[in-house]
Amino acid sequence: MSSPSPSPPPRLEVQNLMRRFDGQAVVDDVSFSIPAGQVTCLLGPSGCGKSTTLRIIAGVDMQDQGRIFVDGNLVCDTVFRIPPERRAIGLMFQDFALFPHLSVAENVAFGLSGPASQKRARVADLLERVHLIKHIDSFPHALSGGEQQRVALARALAPRPRILLMDEPFSGLDERLRDGIRDETLGLLKEEGTAVLLVTHEPHEAMRMADEILLMRAGRIVQRGAPYNLYNAPVDRAAAAFFSDVNVIKGRVQSALTPTPFGDFFAPGHADGTEVDIVIRPQHLKIDFDRAGRGPNPTVQDGTPARGVVERARFIGRESLVEFRMDYDGSVLRATVPNVFLPKPGTAMWLMLRRDRCFVFPA
Ligand code: ADP
Ligand code: MG
């Protein structure tokens, strides 16, 4: 048997990146790597340092500390720096920035070198794959937003960059078109096998596109992993709340348990007396239809039901959002229920929490 070959270095490796503006760390000790063929999303609220990170990798801004490698080769540290045009890194930004005076074909061919016949073939192949071959001789102004976005994608991929950096590439598009264009873009990125770093502030977009998500807050990466892990095992209350609306039930730990109106919750690792937040997404609140009106009758899995009164119910497409005013402390909890469920305001109902879907964090 042959010995296993050493695994190749990651396409992109970022080590301990730091960038300060006016003494303030805007990118604060950021490290990650992306293998070829993987889409990584840098996700976080506006102003958290995503674009700055991208600009440093592209070479249009410079870090105060840290190093960047492409395929194991140093691209820049704080003294050595390969210029942007020699990094084999493709860029795609929100404003597609097509050249208005060049045709679609000329736009896509812009960064290509080599024999004209080869360039023509590459351009035609990419335009075929983004379904724009019939517009090969059109000018950008004659295309819709979605079509321009696909031209920009073809242009960015044409020189076969080792890494493609995308900064909010779909945010200029009509919401109705976005999911279709995201899926199509993802298909092409996967075919090309390039490593992709996509910046977005939209969790839905990150979940739809990413193999791995880097969740960023105030310059730091606070959690990383597959979309499933970030959604189902958030590191803190803010990480949970970034992906959906959440309900919070307050509690205080007593002998490793937190008593609440919904029964006792385990709070391993939290000292007695610690104030905790029990966090649950609206789709994981259960309405106990069977027991409505019959009073509490606890089950092991779902704990103790607590009574609340419907304050408001709205159909929001695919599901209904029901707000309850809870008897125990007058707080509001929101539950989503599949399809149409619109109980009248004032209706009393019993709610339960799915234990396996609750997160317990220190308050
Ligand atoms: P994001 O892309 O996540 O919205 P940015 O990376 O663009 O965030 O910006 C992060 C922070 O750095 C913001 O507070 C922004 O105002 C600040 N910033 C960005 N570029 C500069 C600059 N050239 N000079 C000073 N502050 C900057
Ligand atoms: Mg930005």
Side-chain angles (χ1 to χ4, degrees):
M1 277 197 17
S2 62
S3 61
S5 53
S7 58
R11 235 338 124 69
L12 174 66
E13 182 163 14
V14 169
Q15 291 180 350
N16 310 105
L17 217 58
M18 181 74 93
R19 181 72 172 110
R20 293 185 195 87
F21 290 121
D22 311 316
Q24 188 80 25
V26 157
V27 177
D28 191 357
D29 198 24
V30 164
S31 300
F32 61 89
S33 61
I34 309 179
Q38 181 173 298
V39 176
T40 294
C41 283
L42 190 55
L43 171 69
S46 178
C48 76
K50 304 180 300 293
S51 293
T52 304
T53 305
L54 217 71
R55 289 163 51 79
I56 294 169
I57 298 166
V60 295
D61 191 8
M62 225 181 144
Q63 69 272 38
D64 297 305
Q65 281 170 52
R67 302 192 294 176
I68 296 168
F69 298 84
V70 174
D71 289 325
N73 301 310
L74 183 68
V75 162
C76 69
D77 56 20
T78 45
V79 284
F80 171 81
R81 184 159 177 259
I82 293 179
E85 65 277 10
R86 288 185 33 228
R87 292 188 182 191
I89 292 179
L91 300 173
M92 195 174 155
F93 296 113
Q94 176 183 342
D95 55 354
F96 318 126
L98 297 177
F99 304 113
H101 59 292
L102 298 182
S103 71
V104 166
E106 288 163 339
N107 264 283
V108 176
F110 187 79
L112 289 179
S113 51
S117 62
Q118 234 174 51
K119 288 204 263 184
R120 267 202 305 277
R122 177 71 173 152
V123 169
D125 172 49
L126 280 166
L127 288 177
E128 196 76 63
R129 283 152 66 194
V130 296
H131 313 295
L132 285 175
I133 194 73
K134 61 181 179 295
H135 291 299
I136 188 162
D137 294 318
S138 305
F139 283 83
H141 67 83
L143 304 180
S144 70
E147 288 166 344
Q148 290 184 33
Q149 198 272 356
R150 277 139 59 198
V151 175
L153 177 66
R155 183 179 64 179
L157 289 173
R160 302 184 202 278
R162 287 164 188 276
I163 298 155
L164 182 61
L165 305 178
M166 308 174 89
D167 196 344
E168 312 265 5
F170 308 107
S171 53
L173 299 175
D174 194 328
E175 178 59 43
R176 205 170 37 83
L177 299 174
R178 274 190 223 167
D179 277 339
I181 293 176
R182 283 175 184 134
D183 290 350
E184 203 177 310
T185 299
L186 187 60
L188 186 56
L189 294 174
K190 288 289 174 187
E191 280 170 27
E192 290 283 306
T194 184
V196 178
L197 181 62
L198 188 153
V199 158
T200 180
H201 65 276
E202 287 183 48
H204 166 81
E205 178 163 301
M207 303 241 277
R208 200 165 179 117
M209 300 287 292
D211 298 302
E212 183 177 39
I213 294 175
L214 310 171
L215 183 63
M216 196 171 188
R217 189 190 303 154
R220 303 188 74 98
I221 294 175
V222 294
Q223 191 172 5
R224 64 187 77 207
Y228 177 89
N229 293 94
L230 269 81
Y231 194 84
N232 292 300
V235 281
D236 55 27
R237 178 176 162 177
F242 198 74
F243 286 88
S244 80
D245 192 14
V246 293
N247 295 295
V248 178
I249 293 124
K250 298 276 178 194
R252 183 197 290 272
V253 180
Q254 289 169 19
S255 336
L257 286 178
T258 308
T260 78
F262 294 95
D264 291 349
F265 281 74
F266 285 114
H270 297 297
D272 270 16
T274 309
E275 306 272 358
V276 292
D277 290 335
I278 295 164
V279 174
I280 185 162
R281 302 190 192 281
Q283 71 265 36
H284 298 135
L285 273 180
K286 279 180 42 177
I287 298 171
D288 188 355
F289 294 104
D290 296 340
R291 261 176 228 117
R294 279 201 273 132
N297 178 15
T299 59
V300 174
Q301 171 66 20
D302 298 315
T304 309
R307 188 177 177 274
V309 172
V310 175
E311 186 146 285
R312 194 151 54 150
R314 283 162 292 167
F315 178 64
I316 53 172
R318 276 199 304 254
E319 58 191 15
S320 302
L321 174 63
V322 187
E323 291 180 9
F324 293 91
R325 179 77 58 186
M326 301 308 295
D327 286 358
Y328 57 82
D329 69 351
S331 64
V332 170
L333 294 182
R334 284 182 291 275
T336 50
V337 181
N339 303 316
V340 185
F341 177 66
L342 300 171
K344 285 207 166 49
T347 311
M349 302 192 120
W350 295 88
L351 297 183
M352 293 186 296
L353 309 185
R354 281 195 52 183
R355 286 308 173 97
D356 54 343
R357 300 300 191 142
C358 290
F359 315 119
V360 181
F361 300 119

